[in-house]
Amino acid sequence: MILITGATGNVGRVVVERLADEGQPVRALSRRPERAQWPAGVETVAADLADVASVRPALDGVESVFLFPAPEVGAELVAAFEAAGVRHVVLLSSGAVDDGVEAQDGPIATRHHELEQLLRASGMSWTFLRPDTFAGNILPWSYQTKHGDEVRGAYAEAAAPVIHEADIADAVVAALTSEGHAGKAYHLTGPELLTHADQARVIGEVLGRPIRYVEIDVEQVRQQMGAYVPAPILADILKFWAQSLERPHAVSEDVETLTGHKARDFRSWVEANTEAF
């Protein structure tokens, strides 16, 4: 049995569907499973990762877990996995984690690194998937594209190897169901570096009208995004964008290594989400 936490999220939902299509025994964990539609054969369980006691019954017979890094995940939950006999955990970590430094840079990398260390110290085998910038991170641009031909934001030339969430889901499935991934960390990226300006241009090409990225003052962006992004996380994001002007993350082949297919490009993600924009 494979347990999927974060089963209603952009990655977890697709993982559940992929596993069900393959005929794998899969159990979807959600606080309110009745609010989602699940493929035939999927077991559902109501539990909250913040309440480890509620999760324990969901672990009966589970051999593998896809662990979504919710804020409440910690040592008690990892210990519950191990006590229940879970053998392997696939963690959705972050491309911000740097194995080459002792102290991680910023709250995003620090949080994910702490979870990785908990799993390393457990008696379970593990696989860490470290995706770079999610393509879906630009969905907040949709309000602007629906009301004009400009996207206004910080750092037009900030670049990242943007990854399609479907590739992350494919990598999760591969790490859960195929051999040879225990004890490994994979950096998951899209096939090319794209700046914010590039992403706006591609959206426009798919929509059939020019979309232009207009760079505005960083402090103005901080005030706007601060309405819905916690201040420490926002500071981390803005710092990452600024650093990427000169040192963007490299493109990785790990998606193909894990899944056997090349990473999907950003255009394919926009085409799949055209209505949003």
Side-chain angles (χ1 to χ4, degrees), residues 7 18 41 62 68 116 130 161 169 215 225 228 270:
R18 298 271 203 276
V62 169
F68 180 79
E116 291 186 3
R130 298 170 175 171
E215 184 171 318
M225 293 182 67
Y228 57 91
V270 176

Side-chain angles (χ1 to χ4, degrees), residues 103-120:
Q104 299 296 311
D105 184 12
I108 295 174
T110 298
R111 166 62 180 160
H112 289 87
H113 184 256
E114 288 171 350
L115 291 179
E116 291 186 3
Q117 294 304 103
L118 285 173
L119 290 170
R120 288 181 191 272

Side-chain angles (χ1 to χ4, degrees), residues 24-227:
Q24 299 282 353
V26 57
R27 184 177 295 155
L29 185 149
S30 171
R31 285 191 295 268
R32 295 182 178 85
E34 71 280 359
R35 293 189 175 184
Q37 289 188 332
W38 306 99
V42 173
E43 293 185 20
T44 61
V45 59
D48 188 338
L49 295 180
D51 178 8
V52 175
S54 75
V55 177
R56 288 192 177 98
L59 299 173
D60 183 36
V62 169
E63 291 197 355
S64 300
V65 174
F66 167 59
L67 182 57
F68 180 79
E72 56 270 21
V73 173
E76 187 181 1
L77 184 65
V78 171
F81 290 167
E82 191 168 3
V86 172
R87 297 181 181 180
H88 187 66
V89 177
V90 175
L91 172 68
L92 185 64
S93 187
S94 168
V97 173
D98 184 351
D99 289 326
V101 299
E102 194 166 316
Q104 299 296 311
D105 184 12
I108 295 174
T110 298
R111 166 62 180 160
H112 289 87
H113 184 256
E114 288 171 350
L115 291 179
E116 291 186 3
Q117 294 304 103
L118 285 173
L119 290 170
R120 288 181 191 272
S122 77
M124 300 176 290
S125 66
W126 48 264
T127 305
F128 302 148
L129 302 181
R130 298 170 175 171
D132 217 282
T133 303
F134 285 36
N137 287 359
I138 65 163
L139 283 171
W141 293 4
S142 61
Y143 180 83
Q144 297 184 69
T145 62
K146 286 178 177 178
H147 293 85
D149 295 329
E150 293 182 348
V151 173
R152 302 173 66 82
Y155 301 117
E157 295 305 311
V162 180
I163 184 165
H164 196 305
E165 287 87 348
D167 284 333
I168 302 173
D170 287 349
V172 172
V173 171
L176 287 168
T177 62
S178 58
E179 300 294 329
H181 306 302
K184 294 183 179 179
Y186 295 97
H187 183 206
L188 307 180
T189 76
E192 59 185 335
L193 280 172
L194 293 171
T195 66
H196 285 156
D198 291 332
Q199 293 172 59
R201 173 182 51 77
V202 172
I203 292 171
E205 290 170 358
V206 173
L207 294 179
R209 58 186 173 90
I211 300 292
R212 187 168 66 99
Y213 192 93
V214 177
E215 184 171 318
I216 60 176
D217 182 73
V218 173
E219 289 308 311
Q220 185 178 349
V221 174
R222 193 187 305 276
Q223 291 178 11
Q224 293 171 351
M225 293 182 67

